[in-house]
Amino acid sequence: MSTTELPASHAELMDGVYRWQRHIYDLTRKYYLLGRDRLISGLDVPAGGTVLELGCGTGRNIILAARRYPGARFFGLDISAEMLETATAALAREGLCGRVALARGDATDFDAKALFGVKSFDRVFVSYSLSMIPGWEKTVSAALAALSPGGSLHVVDFGQQEALPSWFRTLLRGWLKKFHVEPRESLRAVLDSESARTGASFRFQTLCRGYAWLAVIGPGR
């Protein structure tokens, strides 16, 4: 999907949300976007592998992953031009522009070959983006379709805070709503269903009493 074909309303919404927030995003989000580093450490990227992040935002995750797996090539997709501007600057500061390519696109419907010149990836990961994407289920399907044989999809996002006090859930949901974030109640069921549909394995973890959910859809069962 080209930039001109992006769903204008959501692209504009995300640019509006992050036009100023992007400057303090990493500083503030590190306190409540839990499990991101655990996801990165679990990627286990093969030597010379390719990795795609959907919803790459400021580039924080893709930079850490590129440092951890120096032999791999990385690709990042985001719908927000504002976030990509920040990510591009961060990559330049880290000297990673030669190993990381970024593109603007819709995570629910993208053409990796057209955007990056790469048809499929050994790893695809999505960190705290499904809770912001309308039609997020399509992102899961698109991510699985972009995997190379033997590849895996890694997801971390807000859980349902199932073992936390109800007052905490209420406060958290109210705060997240200000940023158009909605924890996906059916996330686990959708990932499980998609793994069954594709004949893949499925691993699921709850973190911090259900504050966050971490899942991996991998090679065949």
Side-chain angles (χ1 to χ4, degrees):
M1 178 175 284
S2 69
T3 301
T4 56
E5 294 171 323
L6 291 172
S9 59
H10 189 57
E12 291 168 1
L13 175 64
M14 291 297 97
D15 278 342
V17 168
Y18 292 119
R19 183 161 290 116
W20 304 112
Q21 280 286 319
R22 64 191 174 97
H23 299 294
I24 60 170
Y25 185 92
D26 290 332
L27 179 63
T28 57
R29 268 56 174 188
K30 69 180 181 179
Y31 297 108
Y32 66 91
L33 298 188
L34 308 179
R36 295 181 296 172
D37 293 347
R38 187 178 299 194
L39 179 150
I40 291 169
S41 66
L43 289 174
D44 193 24
V45 184
T50 51
V51 183
L52 170 66
E53 181 180 13
L54 298 176
C56 63
T58 62
R60 182 263 186 195
N61 296 326
I62 211 165
I63 287 171
L64 291 180
R67 289 177 185 162
R68 187 177 183 92
Y69 305 103
R73 292 183 296 147
F74 289 83
F75 305 85
L77 182 75
D78 204 282
I79 202 168
S80 170
E82 297 287 342
M83 283 297 225
L84 287 173
E85 181 179 335
T86 295
T88 299
L91 289 170
R93 287 194 301 271
E94 296 290 333
L96 291 170
C97 292
R99 287 182 50 220
V100 182
L102 303 178
R104 191 179 184 210
D106 179 6
T108 68
D109 182 16
F110 60 92
D111 183 338
K113 183 68 174 178
L115 291 170
F116 301 114
V118 176
K119 184 178 180 181
S120 61
F121 307 86
D122 297 298
R123 303 288 185 268
V124 177
F125 71 97
V126 193
S127 171
Y128 286 94
S129 292
L130 295 180
S131 51
M132 298 191 72
I133 298 174
W136 61 273
E137 299 92 341
K138 294 179 181 178
T139 297
V140 175
S141 299
L144 290 172
L147 286 177
S148 300
S152 56
L153 167 64
H154 302 248
V155 175
V156 66
D157 214 313
F158 291 105
Q160 292 297 297
Q161 301 82 48
E162 54 268 28
L164 291 167
S166 59
W167 63 263
F168 181 87
R169 290 197 299 272
T170 300
L171 287 176
L172 178 63
R173 299 300 179 88
W175 170 255
L176 294 177
K177 191 174 183 180
K178 296 177 184 294
F179 302 99
H180 306 279
V181 176
E182 180 184 353
R184 306 305 187 185
E185 184 177 0
S186 61
L187 176 60
R188 181 174 186 170
V190 168
L191 293 174
D192 193 14
S193 174
E194 283 294 286
S195 67
R197 179 184 67 80
T198 58
S201 62
F202 179 56
R203 289 182 283 135
F204 182 87
Q205 291 179 268
T206 61
L207 307 178
C208 303
R209 300 173 65 187
Y211 178 91
W213 288 349
L214 178 64
V216 179
I217 297 179
R221 297 175 186 271

